[in-house]
């Protein structure tokens, strides 16, 4: 398997792009598949040493309370394994639903799309400083 090869989680591909795992969720995600994905992401972080996880949910029409909880658990597990999680592509209806369900999703960062999520992870990579970078002492 190549460095960019997919790790398949019960029909959910997990792609490694350098130091980031990219997971694209589309359509309905069964509870057992979501739980297996959670385990596969944790195992892949441990075995590969990636520092970021991007979960693209732009293909999801609905995110229920179970999937919202799974996303929060993935973020918490990833943080314990020294990786940051960003959810990308959340539709307005999904955001409204999550707020109405009272899900706060601690530790989970969001971005409008996958490209913005990758940029967010690059900006906050270990060793980098948040905020504007200076060219040197003044």
């Amino acid at each position: 398997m190549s460095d960019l090869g997919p790790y398949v989680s019960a029909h959910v591909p997990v792609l490694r792009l350098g130091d980031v795992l990219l997971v694209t969720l589309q359509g309905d995600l069964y509870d057992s598949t979501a739980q297996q994905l959670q385990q596969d992401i944790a195992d892949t972080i441990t075995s590969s040493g990636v520092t970021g996880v991007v979960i693209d949910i732009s293909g999801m029409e609905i995110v229920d309370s179970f999937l919202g909880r799974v996303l929060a658990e993935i973020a918490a597990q990833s943080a314990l394994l020294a990786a940051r999680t960003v959810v990308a592509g959340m539709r307005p209806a999904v955001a409204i639903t999550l707020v109405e369900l009272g899900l706060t999703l601690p530790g989970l960062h969001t971005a409008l799309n996958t490209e913005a999520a990758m940029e967010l992870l690059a900006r906050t990579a270990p060793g980098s400083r948040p905020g504007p970078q200076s060219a040197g002492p003044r």
Side-chain angles (χ1 to χ4, degrees):
M1 188 177 303
S2 73
D3 190 38
L4 297 178
Y7 300 88
V8 179
S9 172
H11 310 298
V12 178
V14 178
L15 302 175
R16 181 174 176 192
L17 303 172
D19 287 338
V20 176
L21 295 180
L22 175 60
V23 181
T24 302
L25 302 180
Q26 296 184 354
D28 293 331
L29 192 64
Y30 297 106
D31 291 357
S32 61
T33 305
Q35 289 174 325
Q36 184 62 50
L37 175 64
Q38 184 177 355
Q39 182 63 48
D40 289 350
I41 289 172
D43 291 344
T44 304
I45 291 169
T46 303
S47 66
S48 66
V50 297
T51 58
V53 178
V54 174
I55 303 174
D56 182 353
I57 63 168
S58 60
M60 303 289 295
E61 295 288 332
I62 297 172
V63 173
D64 62 9
S65 60
F66 176 78
L67 184 55
R69 185 172 53 92
V70 168
L71 292 173
E73 288 174 1
I74 288 171
Q77 285 179 345
S78 298
L80 289 173
L81 297 170
R84 289 157 291 121
T85 302
V86 179
V87 171
M90 186 179 299
R91 295 172 185 239
V94 170
I96 291 167
T97 300
L98 291 176
V99 169
E100 288 175 349
L101 291 172
L103 295 175
T104 57
L105 306 178
L108 197 62
H109 301 281
T110 59
L112 291 176
N113 55 44
T114 303
E115 182 180 357
M118 297 293 280
E119 289 173 6
L120 175 64
L121 289 173
R123 275 198 321 264
T124 59
S128 70
R129 294 179 294 161
Q133 298 290 320
S134 65
R138 293 179 188 199

